[in-house]
Amino acid sequence: MLTRNLGRSGLRVSLVGLGCNNFGGRIDLDATRKVVDAAIEHGITLFDTADIYGERGGSETALGEVLGARRKQIVLASKFGMNMDDEGIKKGGSRAYIMNAVEDSLRRLRTDWLDLYQIHRFDPLTPIDETLRALEDLTRQGKVRYIGCSNFAPWQMADAAWAARDINVAGFASCQDEYSLLVRGAERELIPAARHYGMGLLPYFPLANGALTGKYKRNAPMPEGARLTKLPQRAGEIFSDANWTRIEKLTAFAEARGKTLVELAFSWLAAQPVVSSVIAGATRPEQVAANVKAAEWALSAEELAEIDKITA
């Protein structure tokens, strides 16, 4: 497994990361243990979870139970900021909330520190300098080692970077956003901003919610039990006529080279210099192995140019 620096920081992460959103909800504790075992066996070091995953706390709780002493072998990342109660009180990026949220995550994960602590979405009600000062305090206390953001607009990333400089605290080392062969909007402003401010990109939905797995076919019934089958609105957004054409051309491109669409999707992301690690979830050990293998294809400059023509 290759490793890369998380942006300009000194934190090294595996090129393929494990998204832990299925833990504590979609799969039980025994299945979670098998996925975690497979990830560690295949050299994955970045485990990415969030307090909201697994029906509010379930993912962190399951991960904390199955990791045990192996926690020291991995880079453990979590997030805060989404609604953790029905009243809309436990959320956001205020100092008051962050100080409580981190303690809850540490307790559920059975650890004394988080290698990467990310704000899950922008909080319009809290000044970004308040959020950054609170995260700086957690860093100085040893409870957090690096910080990141997720789902920030490019201008919000820039504002946070300037605020960090102004108040002399550490800025965000990473940003986590949707990015794939079918969803390339991040290239307009977000990726240039990440490069400029030295942030590593952690793309989620690398397979566009499963659209790039090859299991879906144009004008064919949706596979029973598949993720997009259960998300009709998202399926409608992804499966436009233009995207169906792209999927078919990308499939032909991969097959002509003896590869799969999944291998193309992962390897294309791995070829992007701003990408530090490709976050991918799994419900079975064989999916973990397939994700790791998928990122091993070294695409040539000519192949990348041809892919750009297909997906532009």
Side-chain angles (χ1 to χ4, degrees):
M1 171 66 69
L2 296 175
T3 61
R4 292 180 176 175
N5 283 66
L6 185 67
R8 275 203 301 251
S9 80
L11 183 62
R12 300 286 291 181
V13 294
S14 52
L15 179 56
V16 176
L18 180 66
C20 303
N21 53 305
N22 294 311
F23 302 167
R26 194 175 176 195
I27 62 175
D28 61 20
L29 189 63
D30 184 58
T32 296
R33 182 174 287 105
K34 291 176 181 177
V35 169
V36 169
D37 290 348
I40 293 175
E41 179 183 345
H42 284 87
I44 291 177
T45 59
L46 177 60
F47 285 63
D48 180 76
T49 187
D51 55 9
I52 195 68
Y53 292 166
E55 301 176 5
R56 295 175 178 166
S59 173
E60 290 182 330
T61 299
L63 190 55
E65 182 166 344
V66 303
L67 276 175
R70 296 178 299 177
R71 186 269 171 270
K72 295 180 180 179
Q73 302 173 22
I74 69 164
V75 175
L76 184 56
S78 194
K79 311 180 199 72
F80 68 92
M82 296 289 199
N83 285 344
M84 287 294 284
D85 64 1
D86 294 333
E87 293 73 31
I89 297 173
K90 295 182 177 181
K91 66 175 184 178
S94 69
R95 170 180 289 274
Y97 178 64
I98 291 173
M99 294 304 178
N100 288 322
V102 72
E103 296 297 340
D104 289 341
S105 287
L106 292 173
R107 173 179 47 79
R108 286 189 292 261
L109 287 163
R110 303 187 185 186
T111 185
D112 295 326
W113 83 96
L114 292 168
D115 297 288
L116 178 64
Y117 199 35
Q118 305 154 98
I119 181 168
H120 213 152
R121 66 181 175 191
F122 182 76
D123 178 7
L125 301 179
T126 302
I128 192 62
D129 59 314
E130 178 178 333
T131 300
L132 290 168
R133 286 186 189 277
L135 293 172
E136 177 75 6
D137 286 347
L138 293 181
T139 302
R140 293 180 182 277
Q141 293 168 14
K143 295 177 181 178
V144 169
R145 294 186 175 173
Y146 295 88
I147 62 172
C149 63
S150 180
N151 301 307
F152 270 40
W155 73 264
Q156 293 164 344
M157 288 165 48
D159 186 43
W162 277 100
R165 293 179 183 180
D166 186 51
I167 61 178
N168 195 31
V169 300
F172 295 132
S174 63
C175 54
Q176 190 167 154
D177 296 270
E178 183 174 5
Y179 188 41
S180 71
L181 281 167
L182 295 184
V183 183
R184 296 183 62 172
E187 293 173 355
R188 287 193 291 271
E189 295 183 0
L190 189 140
I191 286 177
R195 285 200 193 102
H196 182 74
Y197 293 109
M199 300 166 66
L201 174 62
L202 301 173
Y204 63 78
F205 294 161
L207 299 176
N209 289 107
L212 293 170
T213 60
K215 68 174 67 172
Y216 302 93
K217 304 296 180 184
R218 197 201 297 247
N219 299 324
M222 297 284 280
E224 186 175 349
R227 177 167 295 184
L228 285 173
T229 304
K230 301 176 182 178
L231 300 170
Q233 181 176 346
R234 177 64 170 166
E237 297 170 357
I238 288 288
F239 291 129
S240 63
D241 286 339
N243 272 347
W244 272 124
T245 299
R246 293 184 180 103
I247 290 170
E248 290 163 353
K249 289 183 177 180
L250 290 168
T251 300
F253 175 93
E255 290 178 350
R257 292 158 177 79
K259 303 290 185 179
T260 66
L261 186 57
V262 171
E263 288 176 295
L264 177 58
F266 273 80
S267 295
W268 179 80
L269 283 171
Q272 310 307 310
V274 72
V275 170
S276 295
S277 181
V278 182
I279 304 296
T283 57
R284 304 187 309 276
E286 51 267 32
Q287 288 179 325
V288 175
N291 291 344
V292 171
K293 183 178 183 299
E296 295 175 354
W297 180 9
L299 292 160
S300 68
E302 292 76 16
E303 288 173 325
L304 290 170
E306 187 173 343
I307 293 167
D308 281 342
K309 291 179 181 178
I310 294 172
T311 59

